[in-house]
């Protein structure tokens, strides 16, 4: 049983308390609770909420507002044997400085089944502040939402078991924003990641040496998403973007990638020599997301052939709609999306040709 509860501003404390009283002992089969509020920091329902959550003994996934994730609530949740994922939902109306600070007071035996944590905390707390034994020594999935300017000192994450890391680093509109550098993520090389997803105001540029370093540390990486949907890159004429020519390097050093999302350099004109079987291919890659980027060089024909030859098993090639461009320049946005649709068709055709040629060569080799 899944329940989504959204309480908006203007709801009285008494009404909310009565609702929670009615839910207690009436949701014994509740497995997924998504409880979100807006402008309700002044409504004190902590006791009732704790009572309700404690009676939901089959709860597997829970999302709670940041100001109700108190020490007492954490202690109650830590006793739920079935709980697997816990998320802290931030109200954008509440200053980021009001987020909880300091380490959570949890016994080593608490949260015996939790493997995923999604939080909105300042990164020094969300990263190093969560270190320790017990729950945080067992965590495998970590999502951190951070709305300040990132520095490379912020990502010193000491949770060695993490294999999936999601960083939402979009800053507050009032915050000074700068492009994110590859050096910023180097502190997480100590983790044996299989999934890395980063969102930021600016794109991130991947160079050949960066991919080589990633391959040395993350040879088992299956999903990589590096800022495919930046929102402030329009402020610069030439943002630091990743060239399409990075694909062969990715194929060589991260061969187990299944999903890839990048913001590609529009000015970087790709070349294609007609080789359907290049030395290195991303044979396990089935999903490619180009975010809000343009087709490199403005040539769908060349890009389609390049991508299809290196990524022969692509099932989904998608680009994200750019909201500001839809409003300000709908014709160009329509052209951009049309170009990527043409690329997808070519990628699948070239990929099929590559696979067919490879099978024929393998058959000939066996007959020798």
């Amino acid at each position: 049983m899944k329940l989504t509860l959204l309480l908006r501003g203007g709801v009285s404390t008494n009404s909310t308390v009565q609702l929670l009283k009615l839910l207690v002992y009436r949701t014994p089969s509740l497995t997924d609770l998504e409880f979100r509020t807006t402008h309700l920091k002044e409504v004190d329902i902590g006791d009732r909420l704790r009572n309700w959550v404690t009676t939901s003994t089959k709860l597997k996934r829970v999302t709670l507002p940041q100001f109700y994730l108190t020490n007492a609530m954490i202690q109650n949740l830590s006793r739920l044997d079935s709980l697997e994922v816990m998320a802290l939902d931030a109200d954008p109306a509440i200053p980021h400085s009001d987020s909880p600070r300091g380490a959570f007071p949890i016994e080593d035996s608490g949260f015996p089944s939790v493997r995923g944590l999604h939080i909105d905390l300042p990164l020094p707390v969300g990263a190093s502040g969560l270190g320790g034994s017990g729950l945080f020594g067992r965590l495998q999935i970590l999502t951190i939402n951070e709305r300040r300017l990132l520095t490379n000192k912020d990502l010193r994450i000491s949770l060695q078991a993490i294999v999936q890391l999601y960083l939402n680093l979009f800053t507050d509109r009032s915050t000074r924003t700068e492009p994110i550098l590859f050096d910023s993520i180097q502190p997480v090389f100590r983790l044996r990641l299989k999934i890395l997803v980063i969102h930021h105001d600016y794109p991130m540029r991947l160079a050949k040496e960066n991919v080589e370093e990633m391959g040395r540390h993350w040879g088992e990486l299956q999903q990589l998403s590096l800022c495919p949907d930046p929102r402030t890159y329009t402020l610069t004429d030439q943002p630091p973007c990743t060239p399409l020519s990075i694909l062969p390097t990715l194929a060589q050093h991260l061969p187990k990638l299944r999903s890839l999302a990048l913001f590609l350099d529009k000015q970087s004109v790709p070349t294609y020599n007609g080789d359907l079987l290049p030395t290195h291919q991303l044979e396990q890659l089935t999903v490619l997301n180009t975010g809000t980027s343009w087709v490199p060089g403005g040539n769908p024909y060349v890009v389609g052939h390049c991508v299809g030859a290196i990524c022969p098993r692509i099932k989904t090639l998608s680009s994200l709609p750019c909201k500001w461009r839809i409003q300000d320049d709908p014709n160009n946005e329509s052209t951009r999306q049309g170009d990527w649709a043409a690329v997808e068709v070519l990628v699948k055709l070239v990929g099929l040709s590559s696979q067919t040629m490879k099978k024929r060569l393998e058959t000939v080799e066996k007959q020798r």
Side-chain angles (χ1 to χ4, degrees):
M1 176 183 176
K2 181 177 180 178
L3 177 63
T4 299
L5 187 61
L6 174 61
L7 299 181
R8 299 184 181 278
V11 178
S12 67
T13 301
N14 184 59
S15 298
T16 307
V17 167
Q18 291 302 316
L19 172 62
L20 295 179
K21 285 178 64 176
L22 290 173
L23 290 171
V24 173
Y25 300 114
R26 286 177 170 81
T27 54
S29 300
L30 185 64
T31 58
D32 292 64
L33 171 60
E34 186 176 350
F35 180 33
R36 301 181 186 274
T37 67
T38 58
H39 308 284
L40 276 182
K41 187 180 180 183
E42 71 280 1
V43 178
D44 184 10
I45 57 172
D47 291 342
R48 291 293 181 182
L49 184 60
R50 286 199 305 275
N51 190 23
W52 175 34
V53 169
T54 303
T55 62
S56 303
T57 56
K58 296 182 180 180
L59 199 61
K60 291 184 178 182
R61 288 164 288 274
V62 61
T63 299
L64 295 175
Q66 62 183 36
F67 41 89
Y68 291 138
L69 200 62
T70 61
N71 289 348
M73 174 62 78
I74 291 172
Q75 291 296 335
N76 281 28
L77 290 172
S78 70
R79 301 185 184 101
L80 294 177
D81 292 338
S82 59
L83 193 63
E84 298 174 357
V85 178
M86 183 170 62
L88 185 153
D89 179 51
D91 186 340
I94 297 174
H96 199 46
S97 58
D98 285 357
S99 297
R101 295 182 180 275
F104 294 133
I106 302 173
E107 298 178 0
D108 286 354
S109 60
F111 294 102
S113 302
V114 166
R115 296 294 181 269
L117 180 64
H118 311 283
I119 54 178
D120 190 318
L121 292 175
L123 264 171
V125 175
S128 60
L130 295 182
S133 56
L135 162 64
F136 302 120
R138 297 190 298 268
L139 276 181
Q140 297 178 0
I141 305 170
L142 178 64
T143 300
I144 295 179
N145 297 301
E146 171 59 89
R147 288 176 269 161
R148 301 174 304 112
L149 184 66
L150 177 71
T151 70
N152 63 356
K153 295 180 180 180
D154 289 332
L155 282 177
R156 293 177 179 174
I157 297 175
S158 57
L159 311 178
Q160 297 299 317
I162 295 294
V163 294
Q164 299 182 29
L165 180 61
Y166 302 84
L167 299 172
N168 299 316
L169 305 176
F170 287 124
T171 59
D172 290 326
R173 293 296 184 180
S174 59
T175 303
R176 178 175 61 90
T177 306
E178 295 178 356
I180 183 172
L181 301 177
F182 181 80
D183 289 348
S184 299
I185 68 171
Q186 286 184 323
V188 298
F189 278 148
R190 70 186 69 180
L191 305 178
R192 294 295 177 256
L193 294 181
K194 293 186 177 180
I195 294 178
L196 175 64
V197 176
I198 300 178
H199 294 282
H200 189 263
D201 297 332
Y202 279 91
M204 178 187 291
R205 177 179 174 81
L206 269 186
K208 182 178 179 180
E209 57 270 20
N210 302 146
V211 176
E212 292 172 350
E213 189 170 7
M214 292 170 69
R216 287 194 292 270
H217 296 277
W218 299 332
E220 300 296 315
L221 198 66
Q222 298 176 5
Q223 180 180 348
L224 176 64
S225 177
L226 294 181
C227 317
D229 51 349
R231 64 187 186 187
T232 58
Y233 68 90
T234 55
L235 300 179
T236 61
D237 296 328
Q238 185 78 27
C241 309
T242 299
L244 186 66
S245 58
I246 202 68
L247 286 181
T249 308
L250 285 167
Q252 180 180 359
H253 296 283
L254 297 172
K256 296 187 179 182
L257 280 178
R258 299 178 183 177
S259 176
L260 176 64
L262 297 171
F263 186 88
L264 297 171
D265 187 356
K266 177 183 178 181
Q267 307 300 329
S268 178
V269 181
T271 58
Y272 177 61
N273 61 7
D275 187 1
L276 287 176
L277 292 174
T279 304
H280 301 287
Q281 291 180 303
L282 285 165
E283 296 194 65
Q284 297 186 36
L285 192 74
T286 59
V287 177
L288 177 61
N289 187 330
T290 58
T292 55
S293 57
W294 289 81
V295 171
N299 192 328
Y301 181 82
V302 173
V303 171
H305 281 78
C306 286
V307 176
I310 299 172
C311 313
R313 299 183 183 275
I314 291 290
K315 295 180 180 179
T316 303
L317 191 154
S318 60
S319 77
L320 299 173
C322 189
K323 296 180 180 179
W324 71 265
R325 198 181 290 130
I326 290 175
Q327 296 173 353
D328 299 340
D329 198 353
N331 291 331
N332 277 342
E333 172 62 8
S334 178
T335 298
R336 185 186 72 88
Q337 299 238 21
D339 284 349
W340 279 119
V343 169
E344 182 178 21
V345 172
L346 281 167
V347 165
K348 292 180 178 179
L349 288 174
V350 174
L352 182 60
S353 298
S354 175
Q355 293 179 65
T356 301
M357 180 177 289
K358 186 173 184 178
K359 289 179 181 178
R360 288 177 179 174
L361 291 174
E362 290 174 347
T363 301
V364 171
E365 190 66 28
K366 289 179 181 179
Q367 292 174 348
R368 287 183 178 181

